[in-house]
């Protein structure tokens, strides 16, 4: 196999996006468009990937890091001018070079491989990826001769009426003989309606030198779409989401309503898990097998074990081990860990805390900065008071302890194993093993208090 190289065009500002964020950094299913492109480019095992950056160069370079080399295009003078900026890195190399745009997140490595294969099987110096567009407006047209050979590619603004009627379009993806590409680029002029240096002019230059120009037509027009505005971005998200959800379903995951389920490309899900509609799974989330993720749940950068039930709850940067459950309407904030068999009920918030095996935090409770042991029962309305306005403090609850409803644990507190807190207590001191802490005022009943009220003398109210 010839050496392969990849050039990614990522210098444009994307004015039609009307955004402070540079176009290629807009996300599709949890990952920037240019990262999607790099992912697929890496899969064809190129010797080098060069990203052409301009607007927002520092931000793009930070996003891609050491995955690619960079060349800067100080002025955006067209696609041909952009590719030429990679000459110092690639001009002397022998092999085939794939040129793609950084705003085409739906393109796949499989399509790139097919394009390389078509190029390698011919004696062409350049091969263009084409597609048939239902509405070709705005795209460059692929003009062929009677035998089907590619004559040229004409941009929309430079096309005559007959050329504009052609539906086969240039997707902006090419494979070139590398050295032929850079030699031709030095001959490209900007004598066109836009006053730009078009990469597509390389085709006519090569053909004028007697070289053949090839084309590979993909059957999936949607895959080739470029994103230039928010409408296209929304469409790209829909198409990518359908692709992601289909892949999970083919791997044994059940989707109750896939059209209304939103899963980032980086999420992993085990077989026989059921995902209901309205679920959002983001980031580096990993979900095990035989789970139920019920409607209205949102899970971000978290690890969910096997046989876990999540009911209409939010989980962020946390871990739920096997055979646990949470919800409805509860929230795991970052650095929370729910051990095997534990139960988190409704309207519970857990933050930077460990809930031990088989422990129960039933409802209406806040657990912050705490370690709760095994087989602990935390009653309704318990609050771990972990912040004094300056510092956060940690409390530890021993195994098989019991915290009664409506109690406040004023951290730092240590409850030793098998200890108890009476309901309605405010605990400020450690609780010894086997002891019960009671910290509340003694009840006193004021007899006949009703008679002191104006209504107390009204026989209709007695």
């Amino acid at each position: 196999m010839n050496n392969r190289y990849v050039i990614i065009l990522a210098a444009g500002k994307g004015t039609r996006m009307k955004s402070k964020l540079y176009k290629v950094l807009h996300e599709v299913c949890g990952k920037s468009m240019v990262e999607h492109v790099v992912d697929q480019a890496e899969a064809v095992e190129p010797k080098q990937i060069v990203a052409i950056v301009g607007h927002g160069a520092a931000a793009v370079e930070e996003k891609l890091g050491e995955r690619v080399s960079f060349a800067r295009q100080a002025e955006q003078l067209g696609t041909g001018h952009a590719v030429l900026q990679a000459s110092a890195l690639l001009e002397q190399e022998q092999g085939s070079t794939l040129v793609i745009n950084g705003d085409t997140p739906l393109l796949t490595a499989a399509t790139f491989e097919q394009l390389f294969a078509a190029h390698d099987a011919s004696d062409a110096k350049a091969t263009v990826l084409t597609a048939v567009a239902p509405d070709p407006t705005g795209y460059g047209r692929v003009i062929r001769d009677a035998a089907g050979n590619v004559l040229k590619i004409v941009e929309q603004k430079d096309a005559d009426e007959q050329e504009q009627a052609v539906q086969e379009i240039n997707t902006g993806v090419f494979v070139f003989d590398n050295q032929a590409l850079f030699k031709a680029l030095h001959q490209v002029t900007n004598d066109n309606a836009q006053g730009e240096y078009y990469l597509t002019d390389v085709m006519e230059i090569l053909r004028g030198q007697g070289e053949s120009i090839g084309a590979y037509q993909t059957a999936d027009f949607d895959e080739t779409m470029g994103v230039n505005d928010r409408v296209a971005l929304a469409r790209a998200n829909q198409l990518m989401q359908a692709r992601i959800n289909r892949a999970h379903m083919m791997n044994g995951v059940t989707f109750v309503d896939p059209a209304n389920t939103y899963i980032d490309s980086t999420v992993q899900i085990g077989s026989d898990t059921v995902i209901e509609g309205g679920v959002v799974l983001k980031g580096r989330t990993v979900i095990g097998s035989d789970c139920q993720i019920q409607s209205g749940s949102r899970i971000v950068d978290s690890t969910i074990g096997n046989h876990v039930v999540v009911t209409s709850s939010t989980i962020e940067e946390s871990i739920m081990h096997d055979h646990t459950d949470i919800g409805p309407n509860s929230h795991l904030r970052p650095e929370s860990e729910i051990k095997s068999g534990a139960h988190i009920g409704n309207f519970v918030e857990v933050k930077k805390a460990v809930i031990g095996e088989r422990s129960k935090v039933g409802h209406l409770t806040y657990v912050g900065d705490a370690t709760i042991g095994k087989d602990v029962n935390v009653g309704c309305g318990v609050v771990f008071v972990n912040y004094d306005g300056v510092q956060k403090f940690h409390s530890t609850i021993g195994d098989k302890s019991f915290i009664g409803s409506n109690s406040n644990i004023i951290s730092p507190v240590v409850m030793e194993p098998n200890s108890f807190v009476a309901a309605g207590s405010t605990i400020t001191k450690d609780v010894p093993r086997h002891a019960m802490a009671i910290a509340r005022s003694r009840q006193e009943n004021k007899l006949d208090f009703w008679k002191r009220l104006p209504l107390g003398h009204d026989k209709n109210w007695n």
Side-chain angles (χ1 to χ4, degrees), residues 316-440:
E316 303 171 283
E317 300 175 33
S318 295
I319 300 171
M320 292 188 71
H321 290 269
D322 297 352
H323 299 282
T324 55
D325 67 280
I326 183 172
N329 304 309
S330 288
H331 188 182
L332 298 186
R333 290 168 56 193
E335 299 183 61
S336 296
E337 183 174 2
I338 313 303
K339 294 293 188 69
S340 180
H343 164 70
I344 306 295
N346 56 298
F347 296 101
V348 173
E349 182 176 349
V350 181
K351 171 257 176 185
K352 198 176 182 181
V354 176
I355 310 298
E357 296 173 6
R358 299 177 302 279
S359 289
K360 296 178 173 61
V361 184
H363 33 219
L364 301 167
T365 290
Y366 171 69
V367 182
D369 294 277
T371 300
I372 294 178
K374 302 176 184 178
D375 301 300
V376 172
N377 188 90
V378 180
C380 175
V382 170
V383 176
F384 282 72
V385 185
N386 59 327
Y387 184 47
D388 67 357
V390 179
Q391 291 180 272
K392 301 288 179 67
F393 296 93
H394 190 93
S395 285
T396 301
I397 312 301
D399 297 346
K400 299 182 179 179
S401 293
F402 180 96
I403 302 177
S405 296
N406 200 35
S407 294
N408 296 313
I409 307 300
I410 311 298
S411 300
V413 162
V414 175
M415 289 180 60
E416 294 186 7
N418 302 96
S419 60
F420 301 82
V421 168
S425 294
T426 296
I427 302 301
T428 60
K429 296 186 296 186
D430 294 349
V431 183
R433 187 184 186 94
H434 296 163
M436 181 175 74
I438 304 175
R440 61 193 184 202

Side-chain angles (χ1 to χ4, degrees), residues 128-150:
V128 56
L129 180 69
T130 74
V132 175
D135 178 4
T137 303
Y139 291 94
R141 308 304 203 277
V142 177
I143 308 302
R144 297 177 183 262
D145 63 19
N149 300 309
V150 176

Side-chain angles (χ1 to χ4, degrees), residues 5-7 48 50 86-93 97 178 182:
Y5 303 91
V6 176
I7 297 174
Q48 187 174 10
V50 179
S87 59
L89 296 171
L90 298 180
E91 191 166 15
Q92 302 304 315
E93 302 293 342
T97 296
N178 186 68
F182 284 100

Side-chain angles (χ1 to χ4, degrees), residues 186-246:
H186 289 292
Q187 302 173 50
V188 172
T189 69
N190 64 345
D191 184 18
N192 51 62
Q194 290 289 89
E196 294 185 349
Y197 297 88
Y198 292 149
L199 178 61
T200 50
D201 286 352
V202 168
M203 305 296 190
E204 289 192 70
I205 291 170
L206 292 174
R207 188 171 178 79
Q209 295 170 350
E211 305 290 354
S212 63
I213 306 300
Y216 171 76
Q217 186 180 108
T218 179
D220 188 355
F221 169 69
D222 285 338
E223 180 184 326
T224 68
M225 72 173 291
V227 175
N228 293 312
D229 56 31
R230 304 296 180 119
V231 175
L233 183 66
R235 177 63 176 157
N237 270 283
Q238 289 175 330
L239 293 168
M240 180 69 80
Q241 193 65 79
R243 182 188 296 176
I244 292 168
N245 292 358
R246 176 179 171 79

